[in-house]
Amino acid sequence: MRAPRLVASDVDGTLLGADDRPGPRLVRVLERMTEAGVPLVIATGRPPRWIDPVCDAIGLRGLCVAANGAVLWDAGSRRVVEAAELDVDALAEVIDRLRTALPGAGLAVERVDAPEFCCEPAYEPAWPNSDHVEIATGDLAARPAVKVLARRKGLTSDTMAAAVRDGLGDLVDVTFSASHGLVECSVPGVTKAHGLALAAAHHGVEAEEVVAFGDMPNDLAMLRWAGHGVAMGNAHPELREVADEVTGHHDDDGVAMVLERWF
């Protein structure tokens, strides 16, 4: 492949090491890439408010794909460019059918306006730094949301995702970015590929001119969409199957290993 005109990368397990920091080797190659006029688009399951620390660490603030593709976020101006939301009627149906597909799971919703992350009392946050706001179960569908999260300890995310796909069909797009009993549901067809296509269009770049990096099933559509999809050495088996190549582990500067071919 020729030098890409745009690079897209997942964050956790991909761009950052286990210490949540980019390695100095990666920072150097990103600097050279920026000097060459090639933008980096962060494409993550994180909500916009959790992207700022990543931008600070790598020294770049541009268009970002957040919430698994549901939000196109301008990290420079700190504004939502576009958002794909489940309206209240669709949201109510999704929540109702999740109760049947995943009995005993706690549910939460991610919104683009404050309070952004709202969960029912039965939901157990998957990360220690959760900034959730607990609300009554009946209020989960009170306002539109960009995604619904289901948490069930004791089950794998693979098992949960299969159950949700069986139970909800094409009502949502379901994926996950962590293996410990957490799945995320978005508007049908809304994936990181959807968000990245919007970002690429803003930059005037075609899919075949994009290199994309990822490690978990929420990166699958993005790696398929990009002209060159790269799975990390620590990637979920599904990504290894669809990727054009597999690079090193995220703790070993796997992203930098590939980018150094061109920058």
Side-chain angles (χ1 to χ4, degrees):
M1 179 180 176
R2 295 179 181 177
R5 292 187 58 213
L6 184 149
V7 173
S9 179
D10 172 52
V11 172
D12 302 291
T14 303
L15 197 67
L16 305 184
D19 60 357
D20 290 332
R21 301 285 301 175
R25 181 179 175 183
L26 175 62
V27 172
R28 289 192 296 269
V29 74
L30 291 179
E31 289 173 348
R32 295 193 294 271
M33 192 174 86
T34 300
E35 290 170 0
V38 176
L40 170 70
V41 171
I42 290 172
T44 177
R46 295 186 184 207
R49 65 188 179 281
W50 286 6
I51 294 178
D52 275 356
V54 183
C55 292
D56 292 341
I58 63 177
L60 294 174
R61 284 188 173 273
L63 283 179
C64 301
V65 175
N68 289 329
V71 179
L72 185 62
W73 170 253
D74 187 328
S77 61
R78 294 187 54 77
R79 67 184 181 91
V80 173
V81 180
E82 294 191 41
E85 298 176 295
L86 291 158
D87 63 34
V88 292
D89 291 333
L91 193 55
E93 184 178 359
V94 169
I95 289 171
D96 184 58
R97 290 172 65 173
L98 280 173
R99 301 284 185 208
T100 301
L102 292 172
L107 303 182
V109 293
E110 183 73 51
R111 298 166 175 159
V112 292
D113 53 349
E116 290 97 340
F117 189 72
C118 300
C119 64
E120 63 183 357
Y123 183 87
E124 183 176 340
W127 293 280
N129 62 335
S130 178
D131 52 3
H132 64 281
V133 173
E134 192 173 296
I135 62 175
T137 295
D139 292 336
L140 286 174
R143 292 189 287 127
V146 292
K147 63 180 178 179
V148 183
L149 300 90
R151 176 91 163 109
R152 172 75 187 276
K153 291 185 69 175
L155 292 179
T156 67
S157 299
D158 283 285
T159 299
M160 292 176 67
V164 174
R165 291 185 183 111
D166 286 344
L168 278 70
D170 59 3
L171 185 62
V172 293
D173 205 288
V174 59
T175 191
F176 61 92
S177 59
S179 59
H180 50 281
L182 178 69
V183 293
E184 304 175 24
C185 304
S186 305
V187 172
V190 172
T191 65
K192 286 190 183 182
H194 165 85
L196 182 54
L198 295 176
H202 275 267
H203 286 291
V205 175
E206 301 294 331
E208 59 267 23
E209 300 173 301
V210 177
V211 171
F213 298 84
D215 73 308
M216 289 296 284
N218 64 332
D219 299 313
L220 278 168
M222 177 173 72
L223 264 61
R224 291 191 180 109
W225 180 87
H228 192 72
V230 184
M232 304 304 293
N234 49 285
H236 189 282
E238 288 188 40
L239 263 75
R240 291 172 171 268
E241 292 178 6
V242 306
D244 295 298
E245 73 170 294
V246 178
T247 187
H249 194 281
H250 73 122
D251 271 334
D252 297 325
D253 286 312
V255 172
M257 290 177 187
V258 176
L259 294 182
E260 285 170 348
R261 296 174 193 164
W262 306 292
F263 310 106

